[in-house]
Amino acid sequence: MLETPAPPTVPTRAAEDTVPTDPHLHIGQQPSDPGADTKRLLTWAQDLRAEQHRVLGFPGALDFDFSELGPMLSVFANNVGDAGSLDASAVHAKAFEQAVIGFFAETAGAAPEDVYGYLTTGGSEGILYGLATARRHLPHARVYASDQAHYSVHKAAQLLGLEVTTVASREDGTMDPAALRMHTFVHRRIRPRLGRGPGAIVLATIGTTMRGAYDDVTALRRVASTAGAVYVHADAALGGLVAAHAPSRPAWSFEHGADSVSMSGHKIIGSPVPCGVVLVRRELVTEAAGAEYVKATDHTLGCSRSGLAAMLMWSALRRLGHDGMRQRIRAGLEMADYATRRLASVGADPSRPTDSLVVCFDRPDPWIVDRWHLACEGDTAHIVTVAHVGRQQIDDLCADLASGRRP
């Protein structure tokens, strides 16, 4: 019998890895000086802006500027329940949310009317929603996710009471279809009383965390049918918008066999608040909640959602359109090509899956990791060439790697 590997362990944090408590931020019994507090917040923002040109290792485009929309901070917009449902308060930005959902649906190969969707807090909520939908349709199935899948898959599965089988990945970082076929075949044999089989919930990763590789949804769906009925959720937090415009046309979306898709908004587009979108084939969304006092149908996980996030996403996407998004992705891919060449020139041994914004290389000295905010795992570090990452940052990183000396 094949053993199911345990979920990744969480490393023990040393004291220096924790956020120190700042006594100056303590909220006491008496009101504080609002002028001094505003100055403190603005200084914090200025310091963060000064540092962000060296944030190379974590996906989150930092080239945005929504300051002209500052008056939006003085209004309250709460999107309660479904984006297409009126609610009692009428204090919402659902029309903007629907437009954003429509854009992402078209990007993911679906007509907006054929999918249900809403704005999430990010990719992890999207995974949770996708797996919850899958469990309703395949209550006896287990989740199959690669060893490169995001750690939140295990958190979501634990909350939902789902078993996870970790499937080996190939050298390029994608889930191995042959390994998936073997796992699903064995698990069907274990539970023959379920007739056709218990089914399979496949978590395909579109842009793996460390490598940026794209799982093949079509191939995974086909081989998982060994277990019976199949539900595929595509975790496309980083890679969905890239895959949609990549020259190699990865098989990742609804048109390739996904049943649900989750994507991040802040990673590729850029936003001052984390956000994302989850989309599900409309016929798979069956359960709705609601209450008379809100007068809204509600298929979401959280009920209340940020209307501000919806308006910011809408503003950014209106400036881009599908053509502008395509240009943004192509520029990022060209920068990844440049980074690969430059890292090779300084002996950093870079590697990169086809059409990925993620470039891996040998893990450098700790001071370089800290200075450039690199993401690391074992002996490997990576950078992600989202829109704020340019040639100058790549050149400066490579100069540090070549010299080995602190500036």
Side-chain angles (χ1 to χ4, degrees):
M1 182 188 302
L2 295 176
E3 294 184 357
T4 301
T9 57
V10 179
T12 302
R13 293 287 185 184
E16 60 269 21
D17 292 333
T18 60
V19 177
T21 300
D22 186 343
H24 296 97
L25 304 183
H26 175 70
I27 301 171
Q29 295 292 330
Q30 300 300 317
S32 64
D33 177 359
D37 285 351
T38 298
K39 181 178 179 180
R40 186 184 300 277
L41 289 168
L42 294 178
T43 299
W44 171 85
Q46 184 178 6
D47 292 344
L48 205 60
R49 277 194 293 269
E51 185 68 18
Q52 65 187 23
H53 74 286
R54 289 202 299 268
V55 179
L56 302 189
F58 294 88
L62 302 177
D63 62 328
F64 62 85
D65 183 2
F66 293 100
S67 57
E68 64 187 33
L69 301 179
M72 289 168 53
L73 297 179
S74 63
V75 297
F76 177 66
N78 183 10
N79 287 9
V80 175
D82 297 333
S85 174
L86 291 174
D87 63 70
S89 76
V91 182
H92 59 73
K94 290 185 178 181
F96 295 95
E97 183 176 13
Q98 290 184 71
V100 172
I101 293 166
F103 178 92
F104 277 96
E106 292 166 353
T107 299
E113 63 270 19
D114 291 338
V115 294
Y116 168 83
Y118 72 93
L119 260 67
T120 64
T121 54
S124 296
E125 182 183 343
I127 290 172
L128 180 61
Y129 192 86
L131 294 184
T133 304
R135 186 184 64 173
R136 285 200 296 272
H137 292 275
L138 297 174
H140 303 293
R142 63 175 61 208
V143 178
Y144 299 88
S146 86
D147 54 18
Q148 300 299 307
H150 195 268
Y151 72 89
S152 64
V153 173
H154 290 274
K155 291 202 305 178
Q158 185 179 41
L159 285 170
L160 296 168
L162 292 167
E163 294 181 89
V164 180
T165 292
T166 301
V167 182
S169 57
R170 297 183 288 195
E171 186 176 349
D172 65 357
T174 60
M175 188 191 297
D176 185 347
L180 176 61
R181 183 194 298 273
M182 182 171 58
H183 282 294
T184 53
F185 175 76
V186 169
H187 291 143
R188 175 173 181 168
R189 292 289 297 273
I190 292 171
R191 307 181 75 176
R193 67 182 186 281
L194 294 175
R196 272 195 75 227
I201 301 170
V202 179
L203 195 294
T205 307
I206 314 303
T208 56
T209 305
M210 276 304 296
R211 299 286 301 280
Y214 307 116
D215 284 346
D216 187 325
V217 166
T218 304
L220 298 181
R221 186 177 195 93
R222 183 176 62 252
V223 302
S225 62
T226 302
V230 179
Y231 183 107
V232 179
H233 177 77
D235 168 21
L238 171 62
L241 288 170
V242 183
H245 303 292
S248 61
R249 299 183 62 82
W252 73 280
S253 66
F254 288 108
E255 61 183 319
H256 303 112
D259 293 297
S260 54
V261 175
S262 53
M263 291 181 274
S264 289
H266 57 278
K267 285 183 169 64
I268 297 296
I269 302 167
S271 169
V273 293
C275 56
V277 168
V278 64
L279 305 165
V280 185
R281 294 185 188 276
R282 190 170 290 277
E283 66 270 17
L284 298 176
V285 180
T286 57
E287 297 182 3
E292 182 179 358
Y293 66 87
V294 295
K295 295 184 179 179
T297 61
D298 186 8
H299 294 82
T300 71
L301 289 181
C303 183
S304 291
R305 298 183 312 290
S306 171
L308 176 62
M311 290 184 283
L312 294 176
M313 278 291 96
W314 176 83
S315 176
L317 291 173
R318 288 275 288 192
R319 297 177 194 183
L320 288 168
H322 287 289
D323 288 344
M325 182 63 72
R326 184 177 300 106
Q327 294 171 13
R328 188 173 179 84
I329 296 303
R330 294 298 174 89
L333 293 173
E334 290 174 5
M335 194 57 59
D337 284 337
Y338 178 78
T340 302
R341 295 195 301 272
R342 287 291 288 117
L343 287 164
S345 72
V346 296
D349 192 23
S351 63
R352 171 178 168 246
T354 302
D355 289 339
S356 175
L357 298 185
V358 179
V359 183
C360 294
F361 56 100
D362 292 339
R363 184 172 185 159
D365 292 338
W367 72 268
I368 296 179
V369 171
D370 292 342
R371 175 176 168 80
W372 293 101
H373 302 274
L374 303 179
C376 298
E377 188 174 87
D379 296 330
T380 302
H382 81 205
I383 62 173
V384 187
T385 57
V386 286
H388 72 276
V389 178
R391 292 193 174 211
Q392 188 62 58
Q393 291 105 307
I394 301 299
D395 290 343
D396 291 346
L397 167 64
C398 289
D400 284 346
L401 293 170
S403 71
R405 297 190 301 271
R406 291 177 179 270

